[in-house]
Amino acid sequence: MIAPKRLSRSLQSVTQCTNHERQNFLQSTRRTLSSTIHVNASVESASTTSSQPPPPPASPVRLEDASSLNPENVFTRREERKLVRTQKINPVSSRRRRAALQSTDSVPFEQLPYQCFQEARKILIADRAEKIKQIEAQRERIARLKENGNMNETAKKQKLDSMNRHLAELKIWADINDPIVKKTFEDGKGDLNKPIYRFLADRKWRSYARKLLVQRITQMNVIPDILPHISDFPTASVDLSFARHDVQPGAFVLSEISEKYCKLNVQVYDKGERMVTIVVVNPDVPNVEKDGFDYRCHFLAANVPVNPTSGSIPFSFLRSLDSEGGQDGQVETPQIILPYLPSYAQKGAPYQRMTVFVLQQPEGVTLDVADIATRAKRESFILRSFIDRHRLTPIGVNMWRTKWDESTAGVMERAGIEGSDVEFKRKKIEPLPYKKLDGERYR
Amino acid sequence: MVCTRSKERDRRCKLKVTSTEKKTLIAQQRGDSGAAAVLGMSCRERYLDRDARRHHRRLQRRDDLEDGHTHDNMKPPSTALLRAFSPLWRTNAIPFTARGCLAQQQSSFSTTEQRMARDKGKPKTDMRITLIRYHLKHPLTPRPLRFSRNRALRHWTIHRAWRLYQSKLRLSRQLELERQYNSMASACEALRLIDSHGLTAEDRSKLGEPEVSEGGKDVGRLYRIAMRKDQIWDGVPIEYARIQTESPPRDGWNHSWTR
């Protein structure tokens, strides 16, 4: 009985479903699975995968062994009906899928025989080809513009910038509709050297984590206490951790945990390697004389290379001033200007915010660490001035909070900080004397 | 509804102001649009108790006296005098169908569940959640689809392809319309520069004909005829006819209908 035409066109073997053709098909499939042909299907299968159910027995007149019908395997109407009749169970998923799974263990995603899906793929492939052509045309235009010597320099630069931006957009549009790209990214296997994966990672970060971070930074008044408001800040994600303790932005961290093994994971979403400066600032150092708070710098390091694929910066791996001798005799620039001072808050003082800023150095600029180290001081460290002096760009931020706990005294003593026995107390303010006003107004 | 009496005169004469007028006055002092204020104030006021409302209004009156300068908060300057001298001050009434747009939030912003003291600490039921769960879990509601990874990816692919196809179709239609319009515009422009012999000024000079100024009645005569709009409405388009419908009727609702 010839099956009607409405069955899938992509699997030719399913549409013409005579006994003879089915045997041919089965024999061909059996050849892929195993070399020997088994008479009894119930015997152990010699197929390549042990999970594959044994193929039905080969014979010119098919003896349908009802128990051999597997709900995951049946793909002819006759076998399906027999399965339902004898074993009282329905076949597992669509007939097309069951038929497709006969030939291979697993069909690659792009070849899944679903008609609508394959038509959609055709459309997307055609669109991608168009975008590739547009990318090439744009590249040629940019090359021609660069060679053009008749144009005003600023106008030329502006035009080149916008053309490059359009080129980057085209690159994203070419790959954004690809389900394999989406799958790879979702599995965490995306190569961040490619623009599409950087784009997807950036979009994911901005959808939640960045919003949370900006909320915390704003609520804790890190902006504008330490830095003024900057549009589109932060642009790089900074994950903070202390030796396996991951810190949520703004969370309270015990002094003994924040004492050692501070590590940043900086993820930049634009291409290229750049040098960054890392600053840890405490804006809440109590100052009794002025009845206010001062800034203190807990860590300052420069010339740290960061690119989209590598952003893990453990503080202990950075080079300090006195570390000499790079590998293979090359002198490596020192990085740490002020070594890490653990965060501490004395008893009675309110909680103190510890903020980490990641600042991008200008293109190709290496800061002279030794020179800065002669001038840099921890107390009254103003980050705004530091940024202006060295022309840095803030790209990332994170923060945690400290308060007095049982381990703070120990941390302070180990770090050689005086004042672990100091307790702050609130100054009692005498209320103004109650002055009774004339009664006329309050009649 | 315009009220031209000022607040000072009100207090001094102790004139009785109706509640809706009061609300309009207060709102107009605040600089809100009248209808929005009427609706907004009625919602907001409902949630303030009587003392708070009185205190609220006292603050407003004090603001009026001091021309809107307060130490606690910056308020927009009072519009009381503006109201008094400007007869064109009109409240922007919004249709009743849009009153939902100005509704104030009535549930708490926090996601922590609230517990009722009168129920001995049982959580407060949110009717919205109850209704949603009822309708989702009703036996007659079709069950939600749950896709496996590959199924979901295929669905996403098909969706992206469909959206892409639709946008390309729309773009092509738009471009076709633009092309047609530009073609018509350039045809009209060419017609404008042509004289009664079908020659442009350039052609005339090439053929050695005497020059005709562009403003002459010959040049562009057919263009001007084509641009005339006086007989456009002679054959009114049939689309302007009213389609027969059951409702709404042309004559509206007859309130005085009797059998």
Side-chain angles (χ1 to χ4, degrees):
Chain A
M1 169 171 105
I2 295 170
K5 287 206 182 86
R6 69 169 187 274
L7 284 181
S8 97
R9 289 192 288 277
S10 51
L11 281 178
Q12 294 299 318
S13 55
V14 183
T15 53
Q16 313 269 321
C17 220
T18 58
N19 261 352
H20 168 71
E21 295 206 7
R22 192 183 24 167
Q23 278 170 38
N24 281 344
F25 180 72
L26 288 174
Q27 280 174 11
S28 64
T29 57
R30 224 174 300 119
R31 249 178 261 126
T32 61
L33 292 172
S34 63
S35 48
T36 55
I37 296 166
H38 289 256
V39 177
N40 280 329
S42 51
V43 177
E44 79 286 352
S45 66
S47 56
T48 46
T49 56
S50 52
S51 59
Q52 193 75 356
S59 49
V61 176
R62 185 146 158 70
L63 291 168
E64 265 131 20
D65 189 2
S67 62
S68 76
L69 291 177
N70 190 338
E72 287 177 38
N73 269 357
V74 289
F75 62 94
T76 52
R77 301 263 197 97
R78 196 164 167 203
E79 279 184 350
E80 281 172 16
R81 271 182 265 128
K82 191 165 188 74
L83 178 78
V84 171
R85 223 178 333 117
T86 55
Q87 296 185 40
K88 306 276 187 290
I89 43 173
N90 283 321
V92 165
S93 74
S94 72
R95 191 178 302 134
R96 195 153 33 196
R97 178 176 173 275
R98 275 179 264 128
L101 288 178
Q102 297 297 315
S103 49
T104 50
D105 294 334
S106 63
V107 183
F109 180 77
E110 299 103 344
Q111 292 173 28
L112 282 169
Y114 296 100
Q115 195 171 12
C116 197
F117 172 63
Q118 292 298 335
E119 295 294 324
R121 273 193 74 239
K122 278 188 211 151
I123 293 174
L124 295 176
I125 287 165
D127 177 64
R128 183 163 193 273
E130 271 175 38
K131 292 286 183 308
I132 302 282
K133 270 205 288 238
Q134 286 179 20
I135 287 172
E136 278 159 13
Q138 187 73 358
R139 281 198 173 125
E140 280 168 24
R141 275 190 220 119
I142 290 172
R144 259 181 275 136
L145 181 62
K146 273 197 186 139
E147 290 157 21
N148 183 0
N150 297 341
M151 218 172 150
N152 173 20
E153 277 308 312
T154 37
K156 187 175 174 180
K157 184 176 179 306
Q158 207 171 19
K159 199 162 165 70
L160 271 175
D161 279 344
S162 51
M163 287 177 93
N164 279 320
R165 247 180 290 128
H166 187 230
L167 180 64
E169 266 183 343
L170 284 170
K171 287 180 189 169
I172 305 294
W173 292 340
D175 291 321
I176 193 74
N177 290 326
D178 191 349
I180 300 296
V181 163
K182 181 172 166 36
K183 183 163 197 241
T184 322
F185 175 71
E186 283 171 2
D187 291 339
K189 301 193 176 108
D191 175 17
L192 284 161
N193 286 321
K194 300 209 164 86
I196 180 67
Y197 292 113
R198 279 200 302 271
F199 170 80
L200 290 172
D202 187 31
R203 196 171 69 171
K204 183 178 174 183
W205 176 59
R206 279 171 190 267
S207 70
Y208 182 73
R210 183 181 181 274
K211 287 183 179 162
L212 186 86
L213 179 70
V214 169
Q215 185 199 52
R216 300 279 162 92
I217 298 299
T218 323
Q219 281 177 341
M220 295 284 123
N221 290 314
V222 166
I223 306 288
D225 277 357
I226 303 170
L227 280 189
H229 168 78
I230 308 164
S231 68
D232 199 31
F233 169 75
T235 52
S237 86
V238 177
D239 292 329
L240 181 64
S241 65
F242 293 101
R244 304 297 175 92
H245 294 271
D246 295 328
V247 176
Q248 224 194 30
F252 280 102
V253 181
L254 293 176
S255 309
E256 61 186 350
I257 291 172
S258 66
E259 189 184 1
K260 286 193 253 189
Y261 310 121
C262 182
K263 184 177 100 150
L264 297 182
N265 196 347
V266 179
Q267 179 65 63
V268 287
Y269 298 104
D270 49 339
K271 82 166 179 191
E273 175 142 319
R274 81 290 314 277
M275 296 289 197
V276 297
T277 304
I278 301 167
V279 191
V280 177
V281 176
N282 179 353
D284 295 329
V285 178
N287 184 337
V288 181
E289 285 83 27
K290 80 167 191 189
D291 197 20
F293 301 93
D294 294 329
Y295 296 101
R296 188 200 293 131
C297 176
H298 279 249
F299 183 74
L300 184 54
N303 309 328
V304 182
V306 157
N307 62 38
T309 46
S310 81
S312 175
I313 307 169
F315 285 3
S316 47
F317 282 33
L318 296 174
R319 296 183 294 274
S320 57
L321 274 163
D322 43 344
S323 70
E324 304 291 343
Q327 292 163 338
D328 310 323
Q330 59 180 155
V331 177
E332 289 175 348
T333 55
Q335 290 168 318
I336 300 182
I337 302 166
L338 294 170
Y340 182 69
L341 180 73
S343 57
Y344 60 93
Q346 280 131 329
K347 192 167 184 182
Y351 68 75
Q352 301 187 3
R353 299 164 287 171
M354 298 290 300
T355 56
V356 184
F357 282 93
V358 174
L359 316 158
Q360 186 166 309
Q361 293 165 209
E363 187 75 38
V365 166
T366 309
L367 297 188
D368 189 351
V369 164
D371 181 46
I372 300 172
T374 55
R375 287 194 311 264
K377 47 184 174 40
R378 283 197 197 273
E379 305 302 325
S380 319
F381 176 85
I382 308 294
L383 185 63
R384 284 166 145 113
S385 321
F386 187 80
I387 285 175
D388 291 338
R389 195 175 309 125
H390 302 286
R391 277 176 284 143
L392 304 168
T393 327
I395 55 170
V397 65
N398 208 326
M399 65 165 288
W400 77 92
R401 289 185 280 175
T402 22
K403 56 186 177 189
W404 174 265
D405 48 60
E406 288 102 16
S407 51
T408 312
V411 167
M412 285 175 79
E413 272 160 40
R414 283 195 291 276
I417 304 163
E418 287 178 4
S420 53
D421 50 351
V422 168
E423 184 173 340
F424 285 87
K425 281 187 136 65
R426 282 203 172 273
K427 195 161 68 176
K428 189 166 167 58
I429 302 168
E430 289 301 321
L432 293 172
Y434 176 63
K435 199 170 138 201
K436 202 172 162 74
L437 295 166
D438 53 340
E440 198 185 299
R441 287 174 78 186
Y442 292 94
R443 181 110 6 103
Chain B
M1 217 220 84
V2 177
C3 183
T4 53
R5 296 172 291 187
S6 75
K7 279 301 269 187
E8 289 109 288
R9 257 189 289 145
D10 278 346
R11 265 200 356 272
R12 270 185 263 132
C13 318
K14 292 202 191 338
L15 282 169
K16 223 165 186 257
V17 182
T18 60
S19 62
T20 42
E21 281 181 336
K22 228 185 268 178
K23 286 173 192 168
T24 339
L25 287 173
I26 295 164
Q28 280 169 354
Q29 281 152 34
R30 286 222 201 121
D32 303 334
S33 73
V38 166
L39 300 166
M41 273 302 290
S42 57
C43 284
R44 218 175 299 148
E45 280 209 297
R46 233 180 271 137
Y47 290 93
L48 297 171
D49 64 4
R50 207 190 324 134
D51 298 330
R53 258 180 268 150
R54 221 180 272 149
H55 176 67
H56 217 42
R57 279 188 221 132
R58 211 181 290 139
L59 280 178
Q60 289 295 327
R61 264 181 248 134
R62 205 185 301 154
D63 291 347
D64 244 359
L65 284 174
E66 298 168 357
D67 284 335
H69 297 310
T70 51
H71 297 295
D72 329 51
N73 48 349
M74 296 298 292
K75 286 198 165 63
S78 162
T79 48
L81 291 178
L82 174 66
R83 242 187 333 101
F85 293 117
S86 153
L88 297 173
W89 181 268
R90 226 173 262 287
T91 62
N92 302 326
I94 59 166
F96 81 99
T97 43
R99 65 186 160 182
C101 305
L102 293 166
Q104 304 285 316
Q105 183 173 313
Q106 289 170 23
S107 60
S108 75
F109 184 73
S110 166
T111 47
T112 315
E113 62 176 13
Q114 296 174 310
R115 293 188 178 268
M116 310 298 290
R118 63 180 169 188
D119 269 334
K120 295 185 190 90
K122 288 208 204 108
K124 179 178 180 183
T125 48
D126 191 348
M127 271 310 290
R128 302 171 300 173
I129 296 174
T130 314
L131 276 176
I132 289 170
R133 291 186 80 240
Y134 170 81
H135 283 96
L136 278 180
K137 295 200 192 273
H138 196 280
L140 292 176
T141 311
R143 66 181 172 149
L145 290 174
R146 282 202 287 248
F147 291 165
S148 71
R149 184 94 188 277
N150 278 355
R151 175 79 178 86
L153 280 171
R154 290 198 305 270
H155 176 80
W156 179 86
T157 315
I158 293 167
H159 175 70
R160 292 295 288 210
W162 177 247
R163 296 288 305 147
L164 188 74
Y165 168 74
Q166 285 292 305
S167 59
K168 278 199 171 133
L169 206 63
R170 212 176 304 123
L171 188 71
S172 66
R173 283 183 198 143
Q174 186 62 29
L175 287 174
E176 179 65 16
L177 284 173
E178 271 185 41
R179 190 193 62 81
Q180 288 171 342
Y181 177 83
N182 289 332
S183 158
M184 283 193 275
S186 60
C188 288
E189 181 64 17
L191 194 62
R192 188 177 70 87
L193 299 170
I194 272 173
D195 68 0
S196 56
H197 297 284
L199 303 168
T200 59
E202 206 181 293
D203 296 336
R204 293 187 77 88
S205 61
K206 250 193 259 172
L207 292 169
E209 299 277 338
E211 289 228 351
V212 179
S213 75
E214 210 182 85
K217 70 176 166 81
D218 248 7
V219 180
R221 185 175 149 274
L222 286 171
Y223 169 77
R224 285 190 293 279
I225 291 169
M227 291 296 126
R228 278 181 358 209
K229 314 276 189 228
D230 41 346
Q231 285 160 333
I232 280 180
W233 286 103
D234 283 355
V236 179
I238 191 69
E239 290 83 3
Y240 281 80
R242 185 173 183 274
I243 297 167
Q244 268 186 331
T245 48
E246 263 191 48
S247 68
R250 251 179 317 167
D251 307 325
W253 186 260
N254 183 3
H255 287 87
S256 51
W257 181 89
T258 52
R259 195 168 294 282

